[in-house]
Amino acid sequence: MHMKKEVMSMTRNLEVLENSKRRFLGEDLESCSIDELEKVEGQLDQSLRNIRAKQLAIQGTNFSSKRRGKSPNGEKCRIAGK
């Protein structure tokens, strides 16, 4: 009985995740309410902010590595003219 409940719960969770994925991909949006669309928009905005912050962190790491004469993977960089 316990396993049956767990399977049902996991099936519901999978359906929710699949619906969220479709919405993030821009599918099945016509069935969404305005509130649901605003929630998806907020989640996408947050994801973009996270991606941009990560890109800036990586660029900062790359810049400081180059200033020290090393590539991000630790190898020495060749400086033009030297």
Side-chain angles (χ1 to χ4, degrees):
M1 188 69 162
H2 175 68
M3 289 294 273
K4 196 174 209 177
K5 284 183 180 181
E6 189 161 340
V7 168
M8 289 174 61
S9 175
M10 293 181 95
T11 301
R12 280 193 303 271
N13 288 341
L14 180 59
E15 288 173 6
V16 168
L17 289 171
E18 286 175 345
N19 287 336
S20 294
K21 177 186 161 196
R22 281 195 295 277
R23 288 181 179 163
F24 285 136
L25 294 174
E27 301 170 2
D28 294 336
L29 295 177
E30 54 277 342
S31 66
C32 294
S33 69
I34 295 295
D35 289 338
E36 290 172 317
L37 290 173
E38 288 175 347
K39 184 177 178 181
V40 170
E41 180 183 28
Q43 291 170 332
L44 289 170
D45 285 340
Q46 183 61 48
S47 294
L48 283 172
R49 283 192 295 273
N50 292 344
I51 290 167
R52 288 183 182 128
K54 191 168 199 162
Q55 284 176 329
L56 288 173
I58 289 170
Q59 288 172 350
T61 301
N62 289 345
F63 177 75
S64 60
S65 293
K66 287 178 183 176
R67 288 188 61 174
R68 289 191 311 263
K70 293 185 178 181
S71 69
N73 62 5
E75 297 173 0
K76 289 191 174 188
C77 293
R78 298 185 91 185
I79 300 172
K82 289 190 178 186

